[in-house]
Amino acid sequence: MTVPTGLSDRRRPLENPASTLDFKEAAGEERSMTPSDFSLAEVAVALPVDGTFHYLIPPGLNDRIKPGLRVLVPFGRRLVTGYVLGRLESSGRGRRPSGPIGPELKEIARVLDEEPFFGADLLDLFRFVSGYYHYPLGQVIAEALPTGLKVESLRRASITAAGREALDRPNLTGKEADFLKRLVRAGGLSLARLSREKGEILSLLRRFEGLGWAVVETHLSRDRVKPRSQTWLSPARTADKDRVRLGGRERELLDLLAKQGPTAADDLRPGFPTLNLMIPRLIGKGLLLTEDRILYRDDLGRALTFTRGAPELTEEQVRAVSALTAALERGRFAPFVLRGITGSGKTEVYLAAARQALDRGRTVLYLVPEISLTPALEGLLNARFQEEAAILHSGLSEGRRYDQWLKIIHRKARLVLGARSAVFAPLADPGLIIVDEEHDGAYKQEDKLKYQARDLALYRGRQHEAVVVLGSATPSLESFQAARSGRYHLLTLTERPGPGNLPRVDVVDLRFASGRRRTALTPMLKTALAETLAQGRQALLFINRRGLAGLALCLNCGYVVRCLNCSVALTPHQAPAADGRPGLILGCHHCGLEMKPPEQCPECRSGLVRYLGWGTERVENEVRKAFPEARVGRLDADTARPKGELTRILAGLRDQALDVLVGTQMVTKGHDFPHITLVGVIEADLGLHLPDFRAAERGFQLLAQVAGRTGRGQDPGRVIIQTYSPEHYTLLLARKHDYLGFFQQEIEQRLAAGYPPFTRLALVRFQGNSESVTASLARAAAESGRRLVQTSPRPGLDILGPAPAPLAKVKGRHRFQILVRSPKVKTLHAFLRDWLEQVRPTLKGQAVSLSLDVDPYHMM
């Protein structure tokens, strides 16, 4: 069979199909057709291929095919999930589509949904994302929709009865016997997986097929999620139960339903144990109606509860809300930057503006950078608006995320709260889009589709003529420069409501700590912590590294225990030993490798391997040891992973069940706990000196955000920053809470160096198993790019590199990267399209992959 003909001129696959064997498969009928009568659907397939494709619509499916539906379509020798984008109709008089109409066209095999998953506005967004990030449209849609919605034909090899008997043959070679045993153990192996293996595995499988020892079969996978329904009961309006003979319990049920209205059958069963028998009898008597309703699974009560009403707004907050309300009244796209110091009440401005949007019949999208912020905000939204919000983020199970998506489609929720991926929520007519902590790097997706949710929020605002609010105490340089130049409207909040003031900040110079530093708590921080606990107040200790320590190092020869797969040191973690006592394990945060700590140095065989630096686990242990009566908690990626733990930890802090919380970035943003009066930054230098032009900006933002967690109540706050770089301008300005001073100094450096917001960047990364091959292909790609610039001049466009990535090896693959820089976004994208068309064919068969990151946030 031939690949479906796309009526697009961009049909080149980005990578080879996984399967390589020519097995016969029923993957759709080929159909000859006359040009006088046809009906075609434009489909994007969930595969790494450019362009879209046209398929014949079978007569039996003609009434069901609509844009936004998932369909099953033949592609090559497989059946795959596709997404209907539109239709082309003809009855001989209509316009024919461009391209050939003939026997190579294939039919849609199946419709997978009863209703569309997205509408025209989201399709427009998907097309924009595909073009801007140079990512296949079908994969954009697949990654935007809830996970678990992918159907495809899979080919699996399994052993036959003859193959099992052949295992007893003495003349089998070792490879033959091993492969047959593997088929037995696995119960079947995917051909896609086998085709990626080296050696003679595929030829061996072909021979086994010929001998009748193995068989290759095709089957369809299924959606991992599906909607759940619930039966609701209500009395028939025209029924007269006095004319029908009824049992006592039947009459009791009908009276109850008449009193309280439609009720879920599940809620009635405890009081009516024989309900399943009663329902068909009452339906047969014409007295009862049933209705199946979709059951939207909730988030297991993770929302924190709030009962307080809206506080009185300050003059600054009133002015901000008035500006947003006026923009909502105009009904035009209006981007705002809301710069408010930490604790200045930006959330109250968001909520007041949301009330205005909802009152005007429009919907609201509220984005936050971290999943950890959703429990408190969900509870606050529910309490303030008395209507349920839909929640979308990657921390939900597949089923709950699917249900939340359906809830939005069915317009059961007018508020959507979520992290980065919620920017794709299928909201109808959003009038207000809030991007809280808009500066945060978590809004940038770092793998697969590398999109920036903040930028897509602005695009959606333009789509829907909505108001977009980018809020932060420390706006990104790009957003604040846009506000300063007049492209965005600037709103400012310079004071905290009520008695709260910005905290006093002290800096501890770690360079002059006496002797070898053996504790994370310097005398100043330890004294302040004791005073805070004595006053019955709470403290927050921040270190941006999880685990027990920074690295395992030999004090004799300097050997560092590194990951076997990645160019990073392994991180020590606490782990339970076999006898129940705490033990140690070394882990890699990139590939997940774990190993026991060496008893001796692998290099010099000394027993002087020690653990240097501090992580959240070690800081937690030191606080517990220094203050045994204190109630100490820890919040990082490890403790927040178990279901419900995130909410439990945050509730403990809110309810003052915790005295001290040790955490990573998860504790630095968005949380409002008025009893925290002390913040300690254990080591402020982490990340400040990375080879990344945004390192200083991230460092300033992080310090400003964590400092803002204190002094929000009646008592004054204090921040103690421990650092080896007290003269760094980032720390000096963070100490004074001087964002404008930092912005001015940093923006001048960006202008001089030619970095955003004055240029646009694209990072092209090559990854391969062989360091030399990967480096060679990266060099060849850079040279072809420079030749392209010479033959077709693009003013101001630079190609920098290739160079090894700062993390030169991850998961066993060597990484080299090229940075493309241009003052104009159109020039950058035109070059990328032309250049990548030249580069990608050179990678075929080389075991080297290419990834493109437009507007990169991290350069590592």
Side-chain angles (χ1 to χ4, degrees):
M1 276 183 191
T2 58
V3 174
T5 299
L7 303 185
S8 162
D9 60 353
R10 295 175 58 82
R11 292 177 287 141
R12 175 182 45 77
L14 299 183
E15 59 185 43
N16 293 327
S19 56
T20 58
L21 299 182
D22 187 20
F23 296 118
K24 188 175 181 181
E25 179 179 346
E29 294 284 337
E30 294 179 350
R31 175 188 290 267
S32 297
M33 60 181 298
T34 63
S36 61
D37 189 12
F38 62 86
S39 185
L40 299 177
E42 183 187 10
V43 175
V45 293
L47 293 173
V49 292
D50 282 342
T52 60
F53 302 86
H54 284 79
Y55 287 87
L56 289 168
I57 301 175
L61 299 179
N62 193 55
D63 294 337
R64 298 181 59 192
I65 298 297
K66 301 174 184 176
L69 285 174
R70 294 180 307 139
V71 291
L72 195 64
V73 295
F75 195 91
R77 290 168 291 155
R78 297 193 278 168
L79 291 171
V80 299
T81 296
Y83 309 97
V84 177
L85 309 179
R87 295 176 56 132
L88 288 172
E89 307 283 356
S90 174
S91 59
R93 297 181 297 276
R95 179 179 61 85
R96 289 183 54 185
S98 59
I101 301 293
E104 70 277 8
L105 283 169
K106 298 179 182 178
E107 286 188 348
I108 292 173
R110 186 185 301 175
V111 179
L112 298 174
D113 306 306
E114 294 298 325
E115 59 182 341
F117 268 93
F118 55 87
D121 57 337
L122 272 188
L123 176 56
D124 177 70
L125 176 66
F126 296 153
R127 289 188 187 275
F128 169 78
V129 171
S130 175
Y132 188 83
Y133 294 103
H134 301 265
Y135 203 77
L137 178 58
Q139 288 191 299
V140 169
I141 299 173
E143 294 189 28
L145 295 183
T147 53
L149 296 174
K150 190 175 181 181
V151 177
E152 59 184 341
S153 60
L154 303 174
R155 298 193 294 169
R156 294 179 64 84
S158 56
I159 193 169
T160 63
R164 292 178 183 274
E165 294 175 1
L167 275 169
D168 297 327
R169 294 192 177 192
N171 59 341
L172 283 180
T173 67
K175 288 184 179 179
E176 291 172 337
D178 288 345
F179 187 40
L180 287 174
K181 291 177 182 177
R182 186 178 166 193
L183 288 173
V184 172
R185 287 194 305 269
L189 293 169
S190 162
L191 258 66
R193 177 179 175 182
L194 292 176
S195 68
R196 291 192 292 268
E197 297 185 14
K198 297 180 181 179
E200 304 172 358
I201 197 75
L202 294 180
S203 60
L204 199 59
L205 179 57
R206 289 192 188 99
R207 194 155 63 82
F208 284 177
E209 272 198 290
L211 293 171
W213 295 356
V215 62
V216 175
E217 298 175 314
T218 300
H219 68 275
L220 284 177
S221 65
R222 295 182 179 180
D223 288 339
R224 296 196 300 270
V225 294
K226 58 183 180 179
R228 291 185 179 181
S229 60
Q230 190 177 47
T231 301
W232 284 61
L233 307 179
S234 59
R237 291 183 180 180
T238 58
D240 185 356
K241 61 179 182 291
D242 294 329
R243 296 183 180 181
V244 180
R245 184 176 180 180
L246 294 172
R249 295 292 283 165
E250 290 177 334
R251 187 174 297 277
E252 184 180 344
L253 173 64
L254 292 175
D255 289 342
L256 178 64
L257 292 175
K259 180 180 179 180
Q260 65 185 31
T263 306
D266 291 342
D267 296 336
L268 293 169
R269 284 192 176 91
F272 297 89
T274 61
L275 183 66
N276 289 346
L277 299 175
M278 297 167 63
I279 290 174
R281 290 202 302 265
L282 291 173
I283 292 175
K285 295 175 181 179
L287 300 177
L288 187 68
L289 299 177
T290 63
E291 177 189 6
D292 286 336
R293 298 184 184 180
I294 293 179
L295 178 63
Y296 303 107
R297 287 159 282 193
D298 62 22
D299 196 18
L300 296 178
R302 293 183 187 178
L304 298 180
T305 57
F306 287 84
T307 57
R308 67 183 186 210
E312 185 176 348
L313 299 181
T314 66
E315 291 184 8
E316 286 185 326
Q317 290 173 319
V318 169
R319 285 196 294 269
V321 173
S322 297
L324 297 176
T325 302
L328 285 166
E329 285 285 353
R330 289 191 292 270
R332 300 289 180 86
F333 169 59
F336 288 83
V337 170
L338 176 60
R339 185 179 75 84
I341 63 171
T342 55
S344 59
K346 293 185 291 296
T347 300
E348 291 301 332
V349 173
Y350 302 150
L351 297 180
R355 178 74 276 164
Q356 296 295 324
L358 293 172
D359 288 346
R360 286 163 175 75
R362 305 194 70 179
T363 57
V364 176
L365 175 61
Y366 194 144
L367 299 180
V368 293
E370 293 281 359
I371 295 172
S372 63
L373 299 176
T374 57
L377 279 171
E378 181 186 1
L380 189 57
L381 290 172
N382 291 344
R384 193 65 61 84
F385 298 117
Q386 288 78 50
E387 57 179 279
E388 190 174 1
I391 311 298
L392 283 177
H393 57 68
S394 59
L396 300 178
S397 67
E398 288 183 344
R400 285 180 170 78
R401 186 174 174 83
Y402 175 76
D403 286 355
Q404 296 296 299
W405 187 276
L406 289 184
K407 183 192 290 186
I408 302 167
I409 288 179
H410 297 154
R411 304 193 180 190
K412 301 295 184 181
R414 299 195 299 158
L415 285 162
V416 174
L417 170 66
R420 178 178 60 227
S421 60
V423 75
F424 296 112
L427 265 176
D429 192 26
L432 177 66
I433 301 175
I434 300 161
V435 186
D436 193 20
E437 310 292 3
E438 67 86 25
H439 68 275
D440 200 287
Y443 283 120
K444 176 69 173 180
Q445 172 86 2
E446 293 294 339
D447 61 351
K448 297 183 180 179
L449 173 58
K450 297 177 174 62
Y451 66 92
Q452 167 57 262
R454 177 196 62 211
D455 297 344
L456 297 189
L458 288 163
Y459 185 86
R460 291 203 75 177
R462 191 179 297 276
Q463 272 186 308
H464 293 277
E465 302 288 358
V467 173
V468 181
V469 185
L470 310 180
S472 175
T474 55
S476 64
L477 266 69
E478 289 87 346
S479 295
F480 198 69
Q481 175 67 11
R484 198 174 69 161
S485 66
R487 290 194 295 119
Y488 299 168
H489 308 287
L490 179 62
L491 304 172
T492 57
L493 302 176
T494 61
E495 298 178 351
R496 287 182 167 183
N501 292 305
L502 287 174
R504 164 187 152 198
V505 180
D506 295 312
V507 174
V508 178
D509 189 347
L510 296 177
R511 296 173 302 178
F512 303 109
S514 59
R516 289 175 58 190
R517 185 182 172 216
R518 297 181 179 274
T519 176
L521 306 177
T522 59
M524 179 186 289
L525 180 56
K526 192 171 183 179
T527 300
L529 191 54
E531 293 172 354
T532 300
L533 295 174
Q535 295 165 1
R537 298 294 182 251
Q538 295 173 300
L540 189 66
L541 300 181
F542 165 69
I543 181 165
N544 203 21
R545 180 195 287 134
R546 60 190 171 104
L548 189 68
L551 50 83
L553 177 140
C554 176
L555 298 180
N556 184 56
C557 70
Y559 175 82
V560 175
V561 184
R562 295 187 176 274
C563 178
L564 301 175
N565 305 316
C566 310
S567 54
V568 295
L570 291 176
T571 301
H573 283 264
Q574 289 179 327
D579 57 4
R581 292 180 300 176
L584 281 178
I585 193 166
L586 301 181
C588 177
H589 295 167
H590 294 278
C591 70
L593 172 74
E594 291 185 347
M595 60 180 287
K596 293 182 179 179
E599 295 181 1
Q600 294 180 328
C601 172
E603 193 73 20
C604 69
R605 299 301 175 186
S606 75
L608 296 176
V609 176
R610 298 293 183 267
Y611 306 105
L612 305 185
W614 287 265
T616 51
E617 293 176 9
R618 186 171 179 181
V619 175
E620 179 188 16
N621 291 343
E622 289 194 12
V623 174
R624 290 183 185 277
K625 185 176 181 180
F627 304 97
E629 301 300 321
R631 299 166 296 176
V632 184
R634 174 164 57 92
L635 181 58
D636 55 25
D638 297 319
T639 60
R641 189 173 294 118
K643 185 174 289 187
E645 279 301 291
L646 172 62
T647 302
R648 186 189 67 78
I649 294 169
L650 293 177
L653 196 63
R654 179 200 61 188
D655 299 336
Q656 293 184 275
L658 289 175
D659 299 313
V660 182
L661 181 64
V662 179
T664 57
Q665 286 192 55
M666 299 178 73
V667 305
T668 66
K669 44 204 159 189
H671 303 298
D672 185 1
F673 298 109
H675 299 291
I676 294 177
T677 58
L678 175 66
V679 166
V681 180
I682 302 300
E683 197 169 335
D685 305 271
L686 294 177
L688 198 58
H689 304 289
L690 293 175
D692 189 327
F693 72 92
R694 284 197 176 92
E697 180 184 8
R698 281 196 293 266
F700 180 88
Q701 291 165 340
L702 200 55
L703 290 173
Q705 292 292 329
V706 71
R709 296 314 105 202
T710 183
R712 289 171 170 256
Q714 299 287 334
D715 301 307
R718 186 182 181 190
V719 180
I720 297 176
I721 298 176
Q722 302 178 162
T723 176
Y724 290 99
S725 310
E727 293 92 3
H728 197 289
Y729 71 94
T730 297
L731 293 170
L732 293 174
L733 293 167
R735 184 177 187 178
K736 297 187 294 183
H737 308 284
D738 187 2
Y739 171 79
L740 293 178
F742 175 81
F743 172 83
Q744 193 59 43
Q745 184 161 344
E746 189 72 8
I747 204 73
E748 291 173 0
Q749 295 183 19
R750 297 279 184 92
L751 178 60
Y755 281 119
F758 303 104
T759 58
R760 306 302 286 267
L761 301 179
L763 185 68
V764 181
R765 181 171 291 134
F766 296 81
Q767 300 185 81
N769 299 326
S770 168
E771 183 177 9
S772 59
V773 171
T774 307
S776 175
L777 289 169
R779 285 194 297 269
E783 287 304 314
S784 72
R786 293 186 178 99
R787 288 194 300 270
L788 186 61
V789 172
Q790 291 173 357
T791 57
S792 178
R794 293 170 168 86
L797 189 138
D798 293 326
I799 299 175
L800 309 177
L807 285 174
K809 186 181 179 184
V810 173
K811 297 182 180 179
R813 292 173 67 79
H814 299 275
R815 295 150 40 105
F816 291 82
Q817 55 195 42
I818 297 170
L819 190 66
V820 184
R821 179 170 60 184
S822 172
K824 295 185 178 180
V825 65
K826 289 185 178 179
T827 301
L828 176 68
H829 285 282
F831 169 77
L832 290 174
R833 282 191 294 271
D834 296 341
W835 182 43
L836 293 177
E837 283 189 356
Q838 294 181 7
V839 172
R840 282 190 169 120
T842 68
L843 305 182
K844 289 184 178 179
Q846 297 291 339
V848 174
S849 63
L850 178 152
S851 66
L852 172 64
D853 189 354
V854 178
D855 302 330
Y857 183 76
H858 290 285
M859 309 297 288
M860 301 297 287

